[in-house]
Amino acid sequence: MEEQKSTTEHDDLPALSTSHDAVKESDHFIGCRGYWEATLEDAQAGNAHEHSLRIVTALKAYPMAVVWSLVVSMSIIMEGCDTALIGSLYAYPRYAQRFGALDPSTNTYQIQAKWQSAMGSGPQAGAVVGALLNGYLIQRFGYRPAFTLGVVLMAAFAFVSFFGMSIELQAVGQILCGVPWGIFATIGPAYASEVCPLPLRVYLTAYTNMCFATGQLVGAGVLQSFINRTDQWSWRIPFAIQWIWIPFLLVGCIFMPESPWYLVRRGKYVEAEKTVKSLMSESEKPQARPLVALMIHTNDLERDVTEGTSYWDCYKGTDLRRTEIACVSFVGQITSGAQFAYSATYFFQQAGLSPDDSYKLNLGGTGIAFCGTIVSWFLMKQFHRRSLYLTGMSLLSMWLLIIGCLATDSKNPTIKWVQSVLCIVWLLTYSLTIGPVGWTIPAEVSSTRLRSKTVVLARSSYYLAQIMANVMQPYMMNPLAWNWKGKTGFFWFAFAALTAVWAFFRLPETKRRSYEELDVMFHAKLKTRKFKKYHVNVYEDNRGDRLREV
């Protein structure tokens, strides 16, 4: 039997061997600080223990892992809130009057399409910068320093939007705020996937979508509350709401534990074990050593395939397929028609509804989306990721097609209400399927050594797609530009349908698979639709026996 050799990121530290013979020759190794030992059998026990956990048991065994995942992901509420604000402020009477121009044909104030595009796509440009910066920060310094920087930048940049009294400053403020949003959006799912056990992984990565929906609900509620104000505070107070979260997040920055996977990649096994224990209940702590051994074993398996941890390594070998899946599944949240549905307030008004009715309907829609995200947790327990994603994308494309078809009949006064209801149905479908699952897949499908960078690339792809969508969407809807109104549904239907076709042929099933099992399956170049059918034993000496169809 050929011995498999590997080293840690510190040259003087031998790693956990993947060979039984090697374990017999050296059944321990030295960590960065103090004495630390584990064997391949420990890693195997850790893998078996993770698979044996059920949801309720895992919640009791890892209470602090759940708490810290919730705290870190809570930062995404600010992105969701501001996204709702910007998309809805275009139609906000006082905001449009302050920063827009009078449209003689409708006798209403309209913000020019070019500034709608700038404020809509500018934050995504900033978010791409923040996401790419975050990939470097996490690899070099860890999750906690990166998260702290994001919170500080968010607190500072919110001042520009709050005090900006010109359309130019409003655009600059949104671009700057995009930088910490990019940091938060890539830390949330990656951190949750690294501190939570296997049964909780999907729920706490999908929780990031609930935070996004929470932010949108808060934003819609605040706008509805101040719509009847006739002064500048009707739009300035909604921007100030973002500062509410900053004190809580700063406290979190001080006490949040570092990811044990990051510590393992740095060779700090003793610290990794201490961190894992801090996330566990007292009765679960004997499992800390096997779980750290499992992390080291998984890290070694991945290092056999790829030596590097740079962005370029995400496009090499089997990681190219994993990066494709992560990126396209995230971009699917845009190609599903999100920019159309999430600018619903503006669409409602262009369809002929009054501002008051539009904001009430938008508030109801965001409330339904919030409830749908909660229900999605139960759906993810019963159904597979691939099934939810494929079904959701197919339904979303159908709703968009119907909205577009209804727009061809402009004389029927009831059409605007039917289209508005279909937008709400779209929001519900999205929050049940594509929304939460789209956050889960990139964190699950990426290799652990390249996770932060794969999630960054996936989220950056999302932002780039969002930039293009935000540039085009105002022109499609604005009466001073293309004035497509409901016919915009045809445009987004085409992209949603194409994404559904991609998911059918390229999206594998990852439910109940550990990271090392996924490593073996991707390395074996298993066909997409066979991921659900195979049993994996990563501890077989013969690599050919590790996969078996069941």
Side-chain angles (χ1 to χ4, degrees), residues 66-146:
V66 174
V67 169
W68 284 114
S69 294
L70 298 179
V71 169
V72 172
S73 295
M74 191 175 71
S75 60
I76 300 172
I77 292 176
M78 289 185 290
E79 181 181 3
C81 182
D82 220 41
T83 301
L85 291 181
I86 293 303
S88 298
L89 279 174
Y90 300 154
Y92 213 58
R94 300 296 167 261
Y95 192 84
Q97 186 177 2
R98 179 66 180 80
F99 300 106
L102 183 65
D103 177 14
S105 62
T106 60
N107 198 32
T108 59
Y109 285 90
Q110 298 282 342
I111 293 176
Q112 289 179 293
K114 65 177 182 180
W115 288 113
Q116 288 189 27
S117 296
M119 288 191 291
S121 58
Q124 281 66 54
V128 171
V129 174
L132 294 174
L133 174 65
N134 190 45
Y136 168 78
L137 292 174
I138 289 177
Q139 180 188 347
R140 183 71 178 85
F141 302 105
Y143 284 85
R144 184 163 62 181

Coordinates of all heavy atoms in Angstrom, one line a residue, residues 66-146:
V66 N -24.5 27.7 17.4 CA -25.8 28.3 16.9 C -25.8 29.8 17.2 O -26.1 30.6 16.3 CB -27.0 27.6 17.5 CG1 -28.3 28.3 17.0 CG2 -27.0 26.2 17.1
V67 N -25.5 30.2 18.4 CA -25.6 31.6 18.8 C -24.6 32.5 18.0 O -25.0 33.5 17.5 CB -25.2 31.7 20.3 CG1 -25.0 33.2 20.7 CG2 -26.3 31.2 21.2
W68 N -23.4 32.0 17.8 CA -22.4 32.8 17.1 C -22.7 32.9 15.6 O -22.4 33.9 15.0 CB -21.0 32.3 17.4 CG -20.5 32.7 18.7 CD1 -20.3 31.9 19.8 CD2 -20.3 34.1 19.2 NE1 -19.9 32.7 20.9 CE2 -19.9 34.0 20.5 CE3 -20.4 35.3 18.6 CZ2 -19.6 35.2 21.3 CZ3 -20.2 36.5 19.3 CH2 -19.8 36.4 20.7
S69 N -23.3 31.8 15.1 CA -23.7 31.9 13.7 C -24.8 32.9 13.5 O -24.8 33.7 12.5 CB -24.2 30.5 13.2 OG -23.2 29.5 13.2
L70 N -25.7 32.9 14.4 CA -26.8 33.9 14.4 C -26.3 35.3 14.5 O -26.8 36.2 13.8 CB -27.9 33.6 15.5 CG -28.6 32.3 15.4 CD1 -29.6 32.1 16.6 CD2 -29.3 32.1 14.1
V71 N -25.4 35.5 15.4 CA -24.8 36.9 15.6 C -24.1 37.4 14.4 O -24.3 38.5 13.9 CB -23.9 36.9 16.8 CG1 -23.1 38.2 16.9 CG2 -24.7 36.7 18.1
V72 N -23.2 36.6 13.8 CA -22.4 37.0 12.6 C -23.3 37.2 11.4 O -23.2 38.2 10.7 CB -21.3 36.0 12.3 CG1 -20.7 36.3 11.0 CG2 -20.3 35.9 13.4
S73 N -24.3 36.4 11.2 CA -25.2 36.5 10.1 C -26.1 37.7 10.2 O -26.7 38.2 9.2 CB -26.0 35.2 9.9 OG -25.2 34.2 9.5
M74 N -26.3 38.2 11.5 CA -27.2 39.3 11.7 C -26.7 40.5 11.0 O -27.5 41.4 10.7 CB -27.3 39.6 13.2 CG -28.4 40.5 13.6 SD -28.6 40.7 15.4 CE -27.1 41.6 15.8
S75 N -25.5 40.6 10.7 CA -24.9 41.8 10.0 C -25.6 41.9 8.6 O -25.6 43.1 8.0 CB -23.4 41.7 9.8 OG -23.1 40.5 9.1
I76 N -26.0 40.9 8.0 CA -26.6 40.9 6.7 C -28.0 41.6 6.7 O -28.5 42.0 5.6 CB -26.7 39.5 6.1 CG1 -25.3 38.9 6.0 CG2 -27.4 39.5 4.7 CD1 -25.3 37.4 5.6
I77 N -28.6 41.8 7.9 CA -29.8 42.5 8.0 C -29.6 43.9 7.4 O -30.5 44.5 6.7 CB -30.3 42.6 9.5 CG1 -30.7 41.2 10.0 CG2 -31.4 43.6 9.6 CD1 -31.1 41.2 11.4
M78 N -28.5 44.5 7.6 CA -28.2 45.9 7.1 C -28.2 46.0 5.6 O -28.7 46.9 5.0 CB -26.9 46.4 7.7 CG -27.0 46.7 9.2 SD -25.5 47.5 9.9 CE -24.4 46.1 9.8
E79 N -27.7 44.9 5.0 CA -27.7 44.9 3.5 C -29.1 44.8 3.0 O -29.5 45.5 2.1 CB -26.8 43.8 3.0 CG -26.8 43.8 1.4 CD -25.9 42.6 0.9 OE1 -25.4 41.8 1.7 OE2 -25.8 42.6 -0.4
G80 N -29.9 43.9 3.6 CA -31.3 43.7 3.2 C -32.1 44.9 3.4 O -32.9 45.3 2.6
C81 N -31.8 45.6 4.5 CA -32.6 46.9 4.8 C -32.3 47.9 3.8 O -33.2 48.6 3.3 CB -32.2 47.3 6.3 SG -33.1 48.8 6.8
D82 N -31.0 48.1 3.5 CA -30.6 49.2 2.6 C -31.1 48.8 1.2 O -31.4 49.7 0.4 CB -29.1 49.5 2.7 CG -28.8 50.9 2.6 OD1 -29.6 51.7 3.2 OD2 -27.9 51.3 1.9
T83 N -31.0 47.6 0.8 CA -31.5 47.1 -0.5 C -33.0 47.5 -0.7 O -33.4 48.0 -1.7 CB -31.3 45.6 -0.7 OG1 -29.9 45.3 -0.6 CG2 -31.8 45.2 -2.1
A84 N -33.8 47.2 0.4 CA -35.2 47.6 0.3 C -35.4 49.1 0.3 O -36.2 49.6 -0.5 CB -35.9 47.0 1.6
L85 N -34.5 49.8 1.0 CA -34.6 51.3 1.0 C -34.4 51.9 -0.4 O -35.2 52.7 -1.0 CB -33.7 51.9 2.0 CG -33.9 51.7 3.5 CD1 -32.9 52.4 4.3 CD2 -35.3 52.2 3.9
I86 N -33.3 51.5 -1.0 CA -32.9 52.1 -2.3 C -33.9 51.7 -3.4 O -34.3 52.5 -4.2 CB -31.5 51.6 -2.7 CG1 -30.4 52.2 -1.7 CG2 -31.1 52.1 -4.1 CD1 -30.5 53.7 -1.6
G87 N -34.3 50.4 -3.4 CA -35.3 50.0 -4.4 C -36.6 50.7 -4.3 O -37.3 50.9 -5.3
S88 N -37.0 51.1 -3.1 CA -38.3 51.7 -2.8 C -38.2 53.2 -2.8 O -39.3 53.8 -3.0 CB -38.9 51.1 -1.5 OG -39.1 49.7 -1.6
L89 N -37.1 53.8 -2.5 CA -37.0 55.2 -2.4 C -37.2 55.9 -3.7 O -37.5 57.1 -3.8 CB -35.7 55.6 -1.8 CG -35.5 55.6 -0.2 CD1 -34.1 55.9 0.2 CD2 -36.5 56.5 0.4
Y90 N -37.0 55.2 -4.8 CA -37.2 55.8 -6.1 C -38.7 56.3 -6.2 O -38.9 57.3 -6.9 CB -37.0 54.8 -7.2 CG -35.6 54.2 -7.3 CD1 -35.4 52.9 -7.9 CD2 -34.5 54.9 -6.8 CE1 -34.2 52.3 -7.9 CE2 -33.2 54.3 -6.9 CZ -33.1 53.0 -7.4 OH -31.8 52.5 -7.5
A91 N -39.6 55.6 -5.6 CA -41.0 55.9 -5.7 C -41.5 56.7 -4.4 O -42.6 57.0 -4.3 CB -41.8 54.7 -5.8
Y92 N -40.5 57.0 -3.5 CA -40.9 57.7 -2.3 C -41.1 59.1 -2.6 O -40.2 59.8 -3.1 CB -39.8 57.5 -1.2 CG -40.2 57.4 0.2 CD1 -41.1 56.5 0.6 CD2 -39.7 58.3 1.1 CE1 -41.5 56.4 1.9 CE2 -40.1 58.2 2.5 CZ -41.0 57.3 2.9 OH -41.4 57.2 4.2
P93 N -42.3 59.7 -2.3 CA -42.6 61.1 -2.7 C -41.6 62.1 -2.3 O -41.1 62.9 -3.2 CB -44.0 61.3 -2.1 CG -44.6 60.0 -1.9 CD -43.4 59.0 -1.6
R94 N -41.2 62.1 -1.0 CA -40.3 63.2 -0.6 C -38.8 63.0 -1.1 O -38.1 64.0 -1.4 CB -40.2 63.2 1.0 CG -41.6 63.5 1.6 CD -42.1 64.9 1.2 NE -43.5 65.0 1.6 CZ -44.5 64.9 0.7 NH1 -44.3 64.6 -0.6 NH2 -45.8 65.0 1.1
Y95 N -38.4 61.7 -1.2 CA -37.1 61.5 -1.7 C -37.0 61.8 -3.2 O -36.1 62.5 -3.7 CB -36.7 60.0 -1.5 CG -35.3 59.6 -1.8 CD1 -34.3 59.8 -0.8 CD2 -34.9 59.1 -3.0 CE1 -33.0 59.5 -1.0 CE2 -33.6 58.8 -3.3 CZ -32.6 59.0 -2.3 OH -31.3 58.7 -2.5
A96 N -38.0 61.4 -4.0 CA -38.1 61.7 -5.4 C -38.2 63.2 -5.6 O -37.5 63.8 -6.6 CB -39.3 61.0 -6.1
Q97 N -38.9 63.9 -4.8 CA -39.0 65.4 -4.9 C -37.7 66.1 -4.6 O -37.3 67.1 -5.2 CB -40.1 65.9 -3.9 CG -40.4 67.4 -4.1 CD -41.5 67.8 -3.2 OE1 -42.1 67.0 -2.4 NE2 -41.9 69.1 -3.3
R98 N -36.9 65.5 -3.6 CA -35.7 66.1 -3.2 C -34.6 65.9 -4.2 O -33.7 66.8 -4.5 CB -35.2 65.6 -1.9 CG -33.9 66.1 -1.3 CD -34.0 67.6 -1.0 NE -32.8 68.2 -0.5 CZ -31.7 68.6 -1.3 NH1 -31.8 68.4 -2.6 NH2 -30.6 69.1 -0.8
F99 N -34.5 64.7 -4.8 CA -33.4 64.3 -5.7 C -33.8 64.1 -7.2 O -33.0 63.8 -8.0 CB -32.7 63.1 -5.2 CG -32.1 63.2 -3.8 CD1 -32.8 62.6 -2.7 CD2 -31.0 64.0 -3.6 CE1 -32.2 62.8 -1.4 CE2 -30.5 64.1 -2.3 CZ -31.1 63.5 -1.2
G100 N -35.1 64.2 -7.5 CA -35.5 63.9 -8.8 C -35.9 65.1 -9.6 O -35.7 66.3 -9.3
A101 N -36.6 64.9 -10.8 CA -37.1 65.9 -11.7 C -38.6 65.7 -12.0 O -39.0 64.5 -12.0 CB -36.3 66.0 -12.9
L102 N -39.3 66.7 -12.3 CA -40.7 66.6 -12.5 C -41.0 66.0 -13.9 O -40.4 66.4 -14.9 CB -41.4 68.0 -12.5 CG -42.9 68.1 -12.7 CD1 -43.6 67.3 -11.5 CD2 -43.4 69.5 -12.7
D103 N -41.8 65.0 -14.0 CA -42.3 64.4 -15.2 C -43.6 65.0 -15.6 O -44.6 64.8 -15.0 CB -42.4 62.9 -15.0 CG -42.9 62.2 -16.3 OD1 -42.9 62.8 -17.4 OD2 -43.4 61.0 -16.2
P104 N -43.6 65.9 -16.7 CA -44.8 66.6 -17.1 C -46.0 65.7 -17.4 O -47.1 66.0 -17.2 CB -44.4 67.5 -18.2 CG -42.9 67.6 -18.1 CD -42.5 66.3 -17.5
S105 N -45.6 64.5 -18.0 CA -46.7 63.6 -18.5 C -47.5 63.0 -17.3 O -48.7 62.7 -17.5 CB -46.1 62.5 -19.3 OG -45.2 61.7 -18.5
T106 N -46.9 62.8 -16.2 CA -47.6 62.2 -15.0 C -47.7 63.2 -13.9 O -48.4 62.9 -12.9 CB -46.9 61.0 -14.6 OG1 -45.5 61.3 -14.2 CG2 -46.8 59.9 -15.6
N107 N -47.1 64.4 -14.0 CA -47.1 65.4 -12.9 C -46.5 64.8 -11.6 O -47.0 65.2 -10.5 CB -48.5 66.0 -12.7 CG -48.4 67.3 -12.0 OD1 -47.5 68.1 -12.1 ND2 -49.5 67.6 -11.2
T108 N -45.6 63.9 -11.7 CA -44.9 63.3 -10.5 C -43.4 63.5 -10.7 O -42.9 63.7 -11.8 CB -45.2 61.9 -10.4 OG1 -44.8 61.2 -11.6 CG2 -46.7 61.6 -10.2
Y109 N -42.7 63.5 -9.5 CA -41.3 63.6 -9.6 C -40.6 62.2 -9.8 O -41.1 61.2 -9.2 CB -40.8 64.1 -8.2 CG -41.0 65.6 -8.1 CD1 -42.1 66.1 -7.6 CD2 -40.0 66.5 -8.6 CE1 -42.3 67.5 -7.5 CE2 -40.2 67.9 -8.5 CZ -41.4 68.4 -7.9 OH -41.6 69.7 -7.8
Q110 N -39.7 62.2 -10.7 CA -39.0 60.9 -11.1 C -37.5 61.1 -10.9 O -37.0 62.1 -11.4 CB -39.3 60.5 -12.5 CG -40.8 60.2 -12.7 CD -41.2 58.8 -12.2 OE1 -40.4 58.0 -12.0 NE2 -42.5 58.7 -12.1
I111 N -36.8 60.2 -10.3 CA -35.3 60.2 -10.3 C -34.9 59.6 -11.6 O -35.4 58.6 -12.1 CB -34.8 59.4 -9.1 CG1 -35.1 60.0 -7.8 CG2 -33.3 59.2 -9.2 CD1 -34.7 59.2 -6.6
Q112 N -34.0 60.3 -12.3 CA -33.5 59.9 -13.6 C -33.0 58.5 -13.6 O -32.4 58.0 -12.6 CB -32.5 60.9 -14.1 CG -33.0 62.3 -14.4 CD -31.8 63.2 -14.9 OE1 -30.9 63.5 -14.1 NE2 -31.8 63.5 -16.2
A113 N -33.2 57.8 -14.7 CA -32.9 56.4 -14.8 C -31.4 56.2 -14.6 O -30.9 55.2 -14.0 CB -33.3 55.9 -16.2
K114 N -30.5 57.2 -15.0 CA -29.1 57.0 -14.9 C -28.7 57.1 -13.4 O -27.8 56.3 -13.0 CB -28.3 58.1 -15.6 CG -28.5 59.5 -15.1 CD -27.7 60.5 -15.9 CE -27.9 62.0 -15.4 NZ -27.0 62.9 -16.1
W115 N -29.4 57.9 -12.6 CA -29.1 57.9 -11.1 C -29.7 56.7 -10.4 O -29.1 56.2 -9.4 CB -29.6 59.2 -10.5 CG -28.7 60.4 -10.9 CD1 -29.1 61.4 -11.7 CD2 -27.3 60.6 -10.6 NE1 -28.0 62.3 -11.9 CE2 -26.9 61.8 -11.2 CE3 -26.4 59.8 -9.9 CZ2 -25.6 62.2 -11.1 CZ3 -25.1 60.3 -9.8 CH2 -24.7 61.5 -10.4
Q116 N -30.8 56.2 -10.9 CA -31.4 55.0 -10.4 C -30.4 53.8 -10.6 O -30.1 53.0 -9.7 CB -32.7 54.6 -11.0 CG -33.9 55.5 -10.6 CD -35.2 55.0 -11.1 OE1 -35.4 53.8 -11.3 NE2 -36.1 55.9 -11.3
S117 N -29.8 53.8 -11.8 CA -28.8 52.8 -12.1 C -27.6 52.9 -11.3 O -27.0 51.9 -10.8 CB -28.5 52.8 -13.6 OG -29.6 52.6 -14.4
A118 N -27.1 54.2 -11.1 CA -25.9 54.4 -10.3 C -26.1 54.0 -8.8 O -25.3 53.3 -8.2 CB -25.6 55.9 -10.3
M119 N -27.3 54.4 -8.2 CA -27.5 54.0 -6.8 C -27.9 52.5 -6.7 O -27.7 51.9 -5.7 CB -28.6 54.9 -6.3 CG -28.2 56.3 -6.0 SD -29.4 57.2 -5.1 CE -30.7 57.4 -6.2
G120 N -28.4 51.9 -7.8 CA -28.7 50.5 -7.7 C -27.5 49.6 -7.9 O -27.4 48.6 -7.3
S121 N -26.6 50.0 -8.9 CA -25.5 49.2 -9.2 C -24.2 49.6 -8.4 O -23.3 48.8 -8.2 CB -25.2 49.2 -10.7 OG -24.9 50.5 -11.1
G122 N -24.2 50.8 -8.0 CA -23.0 51.3 -7.2 C -22.7 50.5 -6.0 O -21.5 50.1 -5.8
P123 N -23.7 50.2 -5.1 CA -23.4 49.3 -3.9 C -22.8 48.0 -4.3 O -22.0 47.5 -3.5 CB -24.8 49.2 -3.3 CG -25.5 50.4 -3.7 CD -25.0 50.7 -5.1
Q124 N -23.2 47.4 -5.4 CA -22.7 46.1 -5.8 C -21.2 46.2 -6.2 O -20.5 45.3 -6.0 CB -23.6 45.5 -6.9 CG -24.8 44.9 -6.4 CD -25.8 45.9 -5.9 OE1 -26.1 46.9 -6.5 NE2 -26.3 45.7 -4.7
A125 N -20.9 47.3 -6.9 CA -19.5 47.5 -7.2 C -18.6 47.6 -5.9 O -17.6 47.0 -5.8 CB -19.3 48.8 -8.0
G126 N -19.1 48.3 -4.9 CA -18.4 48.4 -3.6 C -18.4 47.0 -3.0 O -17.4 46.7 -2.3
A127 N -19.5 46.3 -3.1 CA -19.6 45.0 -2.5 C -18.6 44.0 -3.1 O -18.0 43.1 -2.4 CB -21.0 44.4 -2.6
V128 N -18.3 44.1 -4.4 CA -17.3 43.2 -5.0 C -16.0 43.5 -4.4 O -15.2 42.6 -4.1 CB -17.3 43.5 -6.6 CG1 -16.1 42.8 -7.2 CG2 -18.6 43.0 -7.2
V129 N -15.6 44.8 -4.2 CA -14.4 45.2 -3.6 C -14.3 44.6 -2.2 O -13.3 44.0 -1.8 CB -14.2 46.7 -3.6 CG1 -13.0 47.1 -2.8 CG2 -14.1 47.3 -5.0
G130 N -15.4 44.7 -1.4 CA -15.4 44.2 -0.1 C -15.3 42.7 0.0 O -14.6 42.2 0.8
A131 N -16.0 42.0 -0.9 CA -15.9 40.6 -0.9 C -14.5 40.1 -1.3 O -14.0 39.2 -0.6 CB -16.9 40.0 -2.0
L132 N -13.9 40.6 -2.3 CA -12.5 40.2 -2.7 C -11.5 40.5 -1.5 O -10.7 39.7 -1.2 CB -12.1 40.9 -3.9 CG -12.9 40.5 -5.2 CD1 -12.5 41.3 -6.4 CD2 -12.7 39.0 -5.5
L133 N -11.7 41.7 -0.9 CA -10.9 42.0 0.2 C -11.1 41.1 1.4 O -10.1 40.6 2.0 CB -11.2 43.5 0.7 CG -10.5 44.0 2.0 CD1 -9.0 44.1 1.8 CD2 -11.1 45.3 2.4
N134 N -12.3 40.6 1.6 CA -12.6 39.7 2.6 C -11.9 38.4 2.4 O -11.5 37.7 3.4 CB -14.1 39.5 2.7 CG -14.5 38.7 4.0 OD1 -14.0 39.0 5.1 ND2 -15.4 37.8 3.8
G135 N -11.9 37.9 1.2 CA -11.2 36.6 0.9 C -9.7 36.7 1.4 O -9.2 35.7 1.9
Y136 N -9.1 37.8 1.2 CA -7.7 37.9 1.6 C -7.6 38.0 3.1 O -6.8 37.4 3.8 CB -7.0 39.2 1.0 CG -5.7 39.6 1.6 CD1 -4.6 38.9 1.3 CD2 -5.7 40.6 2.5 CE1 -3.4 39.3 1.9 CE2 -4.5 41.0 3.1 CZ -3.3 40.3 2.8 OH -2.1 40.7 3.4
L137 N -8.5 38.8 3.7 CA -8.5 39.0 5.2 C -8.7 37.8 5.9 O -8.0 37.5 6.9 CB -9.5 40.1 5.6 CG -9.3 41.5 5.1 CD1 -10.5 42.4 5.4 CD2 -8.1 42.1 5.7
I138 N -9.7 36.9 5.5 CA -9.9 35.7 6.2 C -8.8 34.7 6.1 O -8.4 34.1 7.1 CB -11.2 35.0 5.6 CG1 -12.4 35.8 6.0 CG2 -11.4 33.6 6.1 CD1 -13.7 35.3 5.4
Q139 N -8.2 34.6 4.9 CA -7.0 33.7 4.8 C -5.8 34.2 5.6 O -5.1 33.4 6.3 CB -6.6 33.6 3.3 CG -5.4 32.6 3.1 CD -4.9 32.7 1.7 OE1 -5.5 33.2 0.8 NE2 -3.7 32.1 1.5
R140 N -5.6 35.5 5.7 CA -4.4 36.0 6.3 C -4.6 36.2 7.8 O -3.7 35.9 8.6 CB -4.1 37.4 5.7 CG -2.8 38.0 6.2 CD -1.6 37.2 5.8 NE -0.3 37.9 6.2 CZ 0.2 37.6 7.4 NH1 -0.4 36.8 8.3 NH2 1.3 38.2 7.8
F141 N -5.8 36.7 8.2 CA -6.0 37.1 9.6 C -7.1 36.3 10.3 O -7.2 36.3 11.6 CB -6.3 38.6 9.7 CG -5.2 39.5 9.1 CD1 -5.4 40.1 7.9 CD2 -4.0 39.6 9.8 CE1 -4.5 40.9 7.4 CE2 -3.0 40.4 9.2 CZ -3.3 41.1 8.0
G142 N -8.0 35.7 9.6 CA -9.1 35.0 10.2 C -10.4 35.7 10.1 O -10.5 36.8 9.6
Y143 N -11.5 35.1 10.6 CA -12.9 35.6 10.5 C -13.1 36.8 11.4 O -13.8 37.8 11.0 CB -13.9 34.5 10.8 CG -14.1 33.5 9.7 CD1 -13.2 32.4 9.5 CD2 -15.1 33.7 8.7 CE1 -13.4 31.5 8.5 CE2 -15.2 32.8 7.7 CZ -14.4 31.7 7.6 OH -14.5 30.8 6.6
R144 N -12.6 36.7 12.6 CA -12.9 37.8 13.6 C -12.4 39.2 13.2 O -13.1 40.2 13.2 CB -12.4 37.4 15.0 CG -12.8 38.4 16.0 CD -12.7 37.9 17.4 NE -11.4 37.5 17.8 CZ -11.0 37.0 18.9 NH1 -11.9 36.7 19.9 NH2 -9.8 36.6 19.2
P145 N -11.1 39.3 12.8 CA -10.6 40.6 12.3 C -11.3 41.1 11.1 O -11.6 42.3 11.0 CB -9.1 40.3 12.0 CG -8.8 39.1 12.8 CD -10.0 38.3 12.8
A146 N -11.7 40.2 10.2 CA -12.4 40.6 8.9 C -13.8 41.2 9.3 O -14.3 42.2 8.8 CB -12.5 39.5 8.0

